[in-house]
Amino acid sequence: MGKLRVLLVSDLHGSSVAYGKLSNAIKFYKADVVVFAGDLTGKALVPIIRDDGSFSLGSGVSKYLVNVFGDVKAVGDKDLNKVVKDLRGRGYYPFVTDKAGYEELASNRDSVRETFVKLMINALEEDLGKVVARYREAGVKLLIMPGNDDYPEIADYVRKQASDVLVPIDEDVIEFNGYYFLGFGYSTPTPWNTPREVSEEELGARVEKLIWSVDQTRLGRLIMVIHDPPYNTLIDQAYQLNKDFKPVVRGGEIVRTHVGSKSVRALIEEYSPLMGMHGHIHEAPGIDYVRSNSGAKVPVINTGSEYSEGVLRMAYLIIEDNKLKNYFLVKG
């Protein structure tokens, strides 16, 4: 079995800056394939409201109110494009409207969702379009799946974008250069009730069904790309939250707790795949090993995420002879 160079990335959450860096990454890291392990889109719609003229802002004619989680500021025409660009770089979706349009939107939950999804798809079309164009030139494939934070409409959109470069892998097994990539982008329940969550039992059953679609004599070539990392590892440690969803601090340190999937761990222990590729827990980048029932040490990797800062975190993985020969955690 020959050498396979993989770039792993996850949880870009709509950051146009991070997507731009991903499109350029193959200039610096020679890869055969790039794996995007979920959470493609951002988490917030930010209305930008054209003001009715009740206040003065320098000598500008048009004035806009921008409210980012309670931080309200006024900007003029000349600064509007910069504000929009900055918001997109942080993974937000700016929506310019007037006061009447904002009030109409705010009073209709269905309209908010419809507008949000439309903006997400428009942004994803632009961001992924750049990635696909660059990868096509370089002859590199992108294996991609939505995560737990992505709406079902996003999952449908990704499936429809399948091409010679973009390969959807959610709830599927794809063979590439003699290796088998199993994709599963849902997560177990979170405190935020995200769009694509399933119980531990359902996750285990659905992933196991995918595992059985692979020739069982070739599980040593199976790479499990599961958004949720395995439980009780270095890569599933998140900040412990109190009842107000704020981090718990003890002795001046933020307390961490294991929040990964017990089913994912059990499946790795039972079937002993070549390795696990994960995301989901932004603050837990790194590599760990899960010992399978057969005694093998299965490497599991989480790239982590700093998307809101426009930072691209990745793992550069070198696989050879059915083993992870080397790896590098990189960011920029």
Side-chain angles (χ1 to χ4, degrees), residues 151-162:
Y151 282 84
E153 293 92 333
I154 300 303
D156 291 340
Y157 173 80
V158 170
R159 280 193 293 270
K160 293 174 182 176
Q161 301 311 303

Side-chain angles (χ1 to χ4, degrees), residues 295-309:
K297 290 176 63 178
V298 179
V300 293
I301 295 177
N302 177 7
T303 62
S305 177
E306 295 179 65
Y307 75 93
S308 62
E309 304 302 319

Side-chain angles (χ1 to χ4, degrees), residues 53-168:
S54 60
F55 70 97
S56 175
L57 180 69
S59 58
V61 177
S62 298
K63 310 170 189 69
Y64 303 86
L65 288 177
V66 185
N67 186 336
V68 183
F69 304 121
D71 180 16
V72 182
K73 64 179 180 180
V75 299
D77 272 333
K78 65 179 182 179
D79 296 317
L80 182 61
N81 286 340
K82 182 180 184 303
V83 168
V84 169
K85 183 177 180 180
D86 287 347
L87 288 170
R88 285 283 295 108
R90 294 162 63 188
Y92 301 143
Y93 300 102
F95 176 62
V96 180
T97 184
D98 57 20
K99 186 175 182 181
Y102 170 74
E103 291 176 348
E104 181 180 350
L105 182 68
S107 65
N108 188 323
R109 184 181 295 270
D110 290 339
S111 292
V112 171
R113 178 190 169 94
E114 181 181 347
T115 301
F116 193 22
V117 169
K118 182 179 179 180
L119 290 172
M120 284 192 285
I121 290 177
N122 288 344
L124 194 58
E125 184 174 19
E126 178 180 350
D127 292 335
L128 270 183
K130 294 176 182 177
V131 174
V132 169
R134 295 281 175 83
Y135 287 16
R136 180 172 285 117
E137 293 174 359
V140 175
K141 289 190 182 297
L142 173 68
L143 309 189
I144 187 170
M145 67 186 189
N148 65 294
D149 272 311
D150 296 312
Y151 282 84
E153 293 92 333
I154 300 303
D156 291 340
Y157 173 80
V158 170
R159 280 193 293 270
K160 293 174 182 176
Q161 301 311 303
S163 68
D164 59 316
V165 175
L166 191 152
V167 182

Side-chain angles (χ1 to χ4, degrees), residues 22-33:
L22 181 62
S23 71
N24 289 320
I26 52 174
K27 291 182 180 179
F28 307 100
Y29 305 99
K30 301 301 181 182
D32 302 299
V33 64

